[in-house]
Amino acid sequence: MVKACKESGSVQHLVVLETPKTARPMDFVNILDEEGIAYTYLRVKNAMKKDVYFTFDKGIKDNLEVVSVPVGSSLESIDASKSGSDCVVYREDVAALIVQSLMSLDWSKSRILEASASSTPVDFVPPGKKAKFDKEWCTNSKLIGEKLINIA
């Protein structure tokens, strides 16, 4: 699939979300490197959970911690069930991180990002009369954008 994306000539950057308990993540990173297509490889260090009450008006729920791992680093499997943490990362927040990374980061560069739950949830402030998604595509997504500025 990666080769097909590259050969299409229209895909400039791939975003890959590592699935929980991926046994050998370096195998996937090596495939991306070998094909020579720029990528963002995203790893989530906590268990993921669906936010059944998610709406775009409420936006992201957690002020995720996001760090960049140097490309070329050796990656070990992440098993969130053995982390000893009860914290979860909401799938909708991970989706927002993916979208915001495409909006904020240089598509010509490859990177590995690790996201984890933070100790500071986002306070929900009801939007005014009507949210203006032309300014902010998802409420509080600017918080993720601010974290990604330091990664660029």
Side-chain angles (χ1 to χ4, degrees):
M1 187 166 93
V2 175
K3 189 174 189 172
C5 288
K6 183 179 178 185
E7 289 177 355
S8 77
S10 60
V11 177
Q12 298 175 28
H13 191 91
L14 288 176
V15 177
V16 177
L17 174 60
E18 183 179 289
T19 58
K21 300 181 186 178
T22 297
R24 295 189 323 258
M26 286 306 300
D27 290 353
F28 299 101
V29 172
N30 290 338
I31 290 169
L32 293 165
D33 286 334
E34 288 168 10
E35 289 302 327
I37 190 164
Y39 62 86
T40 298
Y41 187 87
L42 178 59
R43 312 179 80 209
V44 179
K45 296 178 81 171
N46 301 91
M48 288 193 283
K49 179 179 178 182
K50 179 172 179 46
D51 179 1
V52 295
Y53 301 107
F54 177 82
T55 67
F56 283 103
D57 287 340
K58 287 196 273 185
I60 64 169
K61 193 168 191 161
D62 188 11
N63 192 7
L64 295 175
E65 298 295 331
V66 182
V67 296
S68 179
V69 177
V71 172
S73 297
S74 181
L75 302 178
E76 300 296 324
S77 179
I78 295 174
D79 186 352
S81 66
K82 295 181 181 177
S83 70
S85 172
D86 291 335
C87 296
V88 296
V89 170
Y90 291 95
R91 289 183 177 117
E92 294 78 8
D93 293 352
V94 173
L97 173 59
I98 291 169
V99 171
Q100 195 64 49
S101 72
L102 287 169
M103 294 171 63
S104 302
L105 299 175
D106 183 353
W107 286 10
S108 67
K109 294 182 181 176
S110 293
R111 66 190 59 81
I112 300 169
L113 301 179
E114 288 186 347
S116 58
S118 75
S119 57
T120 45
V122 175
D123 291 328
F124 173 64
V125 178
K129 294 179 185 174
K130 191 169 184 179
K132 294 197 172 206
F133 295 114
D134 59 332
K135 303 259 189 263
E136 186 176 33
W137 65 273
C138 179
T139 304
N140 294 321
S141 61
K142 67 181 176 289
L143 297 172
I144 295 172
E146 290 167 0
K147 292 191 180 212
L148 292 175
I149 287 172
N150 297 325
I151 290 173

